[in-house]
Amino acid sequence: MSYCVSTKRMNEILKALQKDYKIYAPVRFEKRGRYSDTDLIRYAEINSIEDVVYDEKSHFSPKEVIYPITQALFYFTEDEYRESKVDDKKILIFARSCDINGFRRLDTIFLKNGGTEDIYYKRLREKIKFILMECKEGWNSCFCVSMGSNKTDDYSLAVRFDGDNILVEVKDDEFVNLFSNEREIEFIPEFVTSNPTKVNIPEIDSQELLEKIYNLDMWENYNSRCISCGACSAVCITCSCFNTLDIIYSENGRVGERRRVQTSCMHEDFTTMAGGWSFRKTTGERMRFRTLHKIYDYKLRFKEEHMCVGCGRCEERCPKLISFSSTINRLYDEVEKLKKGEVSRTREQAQSTEEGK
């Protein structure tokens, strides 16, 4: 069932929902953007429908709502430990299709990866219901259609912002009574069907081909371009890497807390072990890992879908203007050359050329 609701009435409904729910949406933070006199749009709690930024893409994804940048897991003394608490309220999140699909990828990583569920993720994830924000066009950097994440039916409510009114589809019986006095209409949310940016996903069908991809010269280009800042991971809805850190409160080291802190596979020290050994020493190697994880490894393991949802935030946030969609398409072209037996310059060939000089 769908309804036409005035802005004033929608605020009354939100207020009623706040008795049981914390409500999150993309919110504008004026003058807090990455450049002078620019704004930042990221997820935060809202108090009115006017707080929702629906006509611009948020710079950060909604994953921070249940997977915070830093999160206390438990507190400890020398004798005992106590798990951190979470708010009793449930959670409503205004989100687009790509981000709702992104949460499904996070669910796989935290709840279906290795046979053990992450309780700190699960206890928040179980509280969530989604309010789908209709997205009919997307933005220039989006390639959600190519990644199959442009549509979803995983939502309780769907909204279209229509001037002074909000069109609302109600799928969840829990919320029907809130709209019982509103005017019924015909409304089903529309989804974007084409993006200006399109990507071709390479088909990697053998270990031999994968080994050749590892040694492609294209990865070397990122050694001089990428600065390993991890901004791409910070804004990505599906990036889930973290470190754990023990914070000691007292000088005797007997009281403290363990925190989970988001990190990035693009950071220089991410794979550094005791003794200083690192599995991926160059930015090119780290870019290779990230790219293949998003459009090959994840699907190889979990079968259903690729990890990347095509939101395009990573390339918008990159200070070096590295386009992830262009990286995917470049890799596709290189793979096609390898399959056709065409000569494609690899790292080993580059090294041989240097040695022969």
Side-chain angles (χ1 to χ4, degrees), residues 78-327:
E78 59 182 329
D79 299 315
E80 60 183 1
Y81 74 92
R82 176 176 58 82
E83 187 176 303
S84 60
K85 297 179 180 180
V86 295
D87 197 294
D88 291 334
K89 284 188 176 182
K90 295 177 285 186
I91 299 171
L92 273 174
I93 302 178
F94 283 80
R96 304 184 195 281
S97 298
C98 58
D99 286 331
I100 294 175
N101 282 305
F103 272 103
R104 188 171 65 249
R105 273 77 163 172
L106 288 178
D107 293 346
T108 299
I109 292 295
F110 284 110
L111 303 178
K112 303 175 184 178
N113 186 15
T116 301
E117 294 181 334
D118 187 308
I119 60 172
Y120 301 103
Y121 176 86
K122 183 178 181 180
R123 64 184 183 174
L124 289 173
R125 182 64 177 91
E126 290 176 334
K127 294 174 175 289
I128 287 181
K129 291 187 176 184
F130 293 111
I131 302 176
L132 172 70
M133 292 196 296
E134 184 183 61
C135 187
K136 296 188 290 184
E137 297 179 357
W139 287 266
N140 288 336
S141 62
C142 299
F143 52 100
C144 58
V145 176
S146 297
M147 302 311 299
S149 58
N150 54 312
K151 298 179 180 181
T152 184
D153 59 2
D154 181 18
Y155 58 89
S156 296
L157 302 170
V159 296
R160 175 190 293 171
F161 292 82
D162 186 27
D164 293 331
N165 296 316
I166 314 294
L167 309 188
V168 184
E169 181 192 14
V170 182
K171 287 181 59 180
D172 191 326
D173 291 342
E174 178 186 352
F175 304 115
V176 170
N177 289 338
L178 292 169
F179 297 89
S180 58
N181 295 324
E182 307 306 313
R183 177 167 59 91
E184 289 192 31
I185 59 169
E186 294 292 328
F187 166 61
I188 298 175
E190 297 179 28
F191 300 97
V192 59
T193 57
S194 179
N195 300 129
T197 298
K198 296 176 175 61
V199 300
N200 296 304
I201 308 298
E203 186 67 30
I204 304 172
D205 53 10
S206 70
Q207 184 64 29
E208 180 184 4
L209 179 59
L210 183 61
E211 290 175 1
K212 291 179 180 180
I213 290 170
Y214 276 16
N215 290 309
L216 284 171
D217 190 42
M218 66 172 280
W219 307 119
E220 301 293 321
N221 297 331
Y222 297 100
N223 290 335
S224 59
R225 296 185 63 196
C226 176
I227 59 175
S228 297
C229 67
C232 50
S233 299
V235 300
C236 176
I237 180 66
T238 64
C239 278
S240 56
C241 295
F242 64 86
N243 282 330
T244 53
L245 175 67
D246 286 346
I247 300 174
I248 307 303
Y249 296 158
S250 61
E251 291 183 3
N252 63 15
R254 296 177 177 178
V255 180
E257 66 181 70
R258 176 162 294 179
R259 301 192 73 83
R260 170 153 65 192
V261 182
Q262 286 185 26
T263 185
S264 171
C265 62
M266 296 303 295
H267 288 162
E268 185 176 358
D269 61 352
F270 183 74
T271 61
T272 302
M273 303 188 303
W277 176 259
S278 177
F279 289 98
R280 294 185 286 274
K281 297 180 180 180
T282 69
T283 50
E285 290 172 341
R286 293 190 284 275
M287 186 65 177
R288 179 188 66 197
F289 173 82
R290 184 173 190 271
T291 302
L292 289 174
H293 190 46
K294 295 295 185 183
I295 54 106
Y296 173 69
D297 297 333
Y298 178 90
K299 186 174 182 179
L300 180 68
R301 179 168 186 173
F302 300 112
K303 309 303 180 185
E304 295 182 2
E305 57 202 359
H306 290 295
M307 194 175 198
C308 176
V309 297
C311 71
R313 290 187 180 99
C314 55
E315 52 191 74
E316 292 181 349
R317 202 66 182 169
C318 178
K320 302 297 286 185
L321 305 179
I322 295 173
S323 167
F324 193 58
S325 58
S326 295
T327 300

